[in-house]
Amino acid sequence: MTGRKIVVALGGNAILAKDASAAAQQQALKETAQSLVKFIQAGDELIISHGNGPQVGNLLLQQAVGSTPENPAMPLDTAVAMTQGSIGYWLQNAMAAELSHLGIEVDVATVVTQVVVAQDDPAFEHPTKPIGPFYTCEEATELQVETPTFQFVEDAGRGFRRVVPSPRPIDVVEAGAVNQLVKNGVVPIAVGGGGVPVIRRGHELVGCEAVIDKDFASEKLAELVGADLLIILTAVDHVYVNFNQATQKRLETVSVAELQHHIAMGQFAAGSMLPKVEAAIDFVVHRPAGQAVITSLSNLDEFIAHGTGTIIANSAATESV
Ligand SMILES: Nc1ncnc2c1ncn2[C@@H]1O[C@H](COP(=O)(O)OP(=O)(O)O)[C@@H](O)[C@H]1O
Ligand SMILES: NC(=O)OP(=O)(O)O
């Protein structure tokens, strides 16, 4: 089916899959763009969002090394905005090249997006969002001594990472602007890195020290713009039960009730797969006719052609939107 409004969320780890150089990340996004343009070719309206966990963590590390009182490190909200700019630039550049190659005249534009969070969100007291590089247990123990205010956790069997507060998104300030762009035939790149986290204070929006989960922010945006489909792209083709065990089993089309059962059984790692599953559930609960899909960048062509991936529907419907 074509003519759908689709929000596609790209994982930060999936963008920084090989190495952290700009060239390697641009190459990953070039390959992503080759798949994403297929939605435009099919007549769908597309909104792209992306993560920034590895990138914003790396940026903070670079800033810590080079900062001086005259040239201070930027606060986390500003660092998130910086990654919206850099990743948005790579992505809109890659999309424009691919569209031009295909002779399709569609504009792609990155929107620096602010996302409202609650000042009293308990997440500010309990950091859960992994950012930056993966460390061995020994490295993380050493870093913990050097930077006692930081917290490190084990991230889905892949090593240890620093964690920062990740409050839930309440509103996307630029959702109306994003919708106007879509109505005018533009492909917006929005809520990058989960959006710049801001708190409402009277007439002002004040940035805060957090990294919002881009899956929750993408879900909120998808809800606000009335999307039909939320596609969450990460490093795995499917969501699994008993992930990384001999008995692991992929989930194909799955209902909200079934996923809630798996959540209760602790099947999905916090800070990695759990937010994706929760965002997918939130979306189909708020948009009962909609569907959410969790799959990999490398499986995107297969999803487009054959619908393979983990598909979450409000009831376990098998029909595609
Ligand atoms: N039950 C599960 N099924 C599939 N993957 C899982 C599961 N639990 C944890 N994971 C891990 O979660 C990862 C996705 O989270 P993450 O890398 O944080 O996402 P992102 O691509 O948004 O950066 C997968 O690549 C996988 O390693
Ligand atoms: N902000 C965010 O959720 O980034 P990742 O997708 O890279 O974790």
Side-chain angles (χ1 to χ4, degrees):
M1 192 175 155
T2 59
R4 304 163 295 184
K5 190 180 271 187
I6 302 175
V7 174
V8 181
L10 312 172
N13 283 313
I15 298 168
L16 198 160
K18 291 201 175 81
D19 67 72
S21 67
Q25 297 188 68
Q26 282 175 288
Q27 181 57 33
L29 288 170
K30 191 174 160 57
E31 288 159 24
T32 307
Q34 286 165 357
S35 296
L36 292 181
V37 293
K38 292 183 183 163
F39 291 112
I40 300 168
Q41 281 179 302
D44 293 319
E45 294 176 330
L46 195 61
I47 298 166
I48 307 170
S49 72
H50 60 82
N52 72 340
Q55 295 85 356
V56 78
N58 286 356
L59 183 56
L60 293 184
L61 289 173
Q62 286 174 344
Q63 298 228 341
V65 171
S67 68
T68 62
E70 296 74 34
N71 186 9
M74 294 293 123
L76 188 47
D77 58 324
T78 303
V80 171
M82 290 160 83
T83 61
Q84 285 192 345
S86 56
I87 300 173
Y89 150 59
W90 293 334
L91 195 46
Q92 71 188 32
N93 179 283
M95 287 293 289
E98 197 53 31
L99 289 164
S100 166
H101 181 68
L102 295 169
I104 301 172
E105 283 188 27
V106 169
D107 289 322
V108 183
T110 300
V111 179
V112 174
T113 319
Q114 303 171 93
V115 170
V116 180
V117 299
Q119 184 163 13
D120 61 356
D121 191 311
F124 284 108
E125 304 300 323
H126 303 284
T128 54
K129 179 75 194 158
I131 61 167
F134 293 86
Y135 300 108
T136 62
C137 185
E138 294 71 33
E139 287 168 336
T141 309
E142 259 176 51
L143 285 166
Q144 186 65 85
V145 175
E146 285 166 25
T147 48
T149 57
F150 288 6
Q151 291 188 33
F152 296 86
V153 297
E154 203 268 348
D155 183 3
R158 298 175 293 186
F160 287 75
R161 293 173 89 187
R162 182 183 169 193
V163 282
V164 295
S166 193
R168 285 286 187 130
I170 296 171
D171 194 15
V172 178
V173 180
E174 288 80 15
V178 169
N179 228 0
Q180 287 300 322
L181 288 170
V182 173
K183 279 191 185 136
N184 284 285
V186 177
V187 174
I189 299 167
V191 294
V196 179
V198 293
I199 291 164
R200 275 197 203 285
R201 283 211 195 117
H203 292 286
E204 311 228 325
L205 295 171
V206 182
C208 57
E209 289 279 317
V211 174
I212 301 171
D213 190 284
K214 68 101 186 29
D215 300 310
F216 290 136
S218 305
E219 186 286 322
K220 183 57 74 184
L221 180 64
E223 204 184 299
L224 292 171
V225 301
D228 304 298
L229 186 57
L230 171 65
I231 302 177
I232 297 176
L233 296 178
T234 183
V236 285
D237 294 354
H238 290 83
V239 181
Y240 291 85
V241 287
N242 301 335
F243 180 61
N244 270 347
Q245 296 169 34
T247 54
Q248 80 171 16
K249 180 174 161 283
R250 67 170 57 153
L251 297 175
E252 287 172 349
T253 298
V254 60
S255 67
V256 168
E258 192 183 337
L259 276 181
Q260 279 167 338
H261 168 74
H262 293 316
I263 290 174
M265 302 305 288
Q267 285 287 347
F268 310 123
S272 59
M273 190 46 76
L274 183 61
K276 295 178 200 312
V277 169
E278 289 179 335
I281 291 175
D282 280 356
F283 179 65
V284 297
V285 166
H286 286 101
R287 301 275 304 160
Q291 283 187 347
V293 179
I294 301 174
T295 190
S296 64
L297 275 177
S298 56
N299 191 56
L300 187 55
D301 287 350
E302 277 294 302
F303 167 70
I304 293 169
H306 308 294
T308 56
T310 297
I311 298 183
I312 301 96
N314 204 8
S315 62
T318 47
E319 197 189 325
S320 300
V321 290

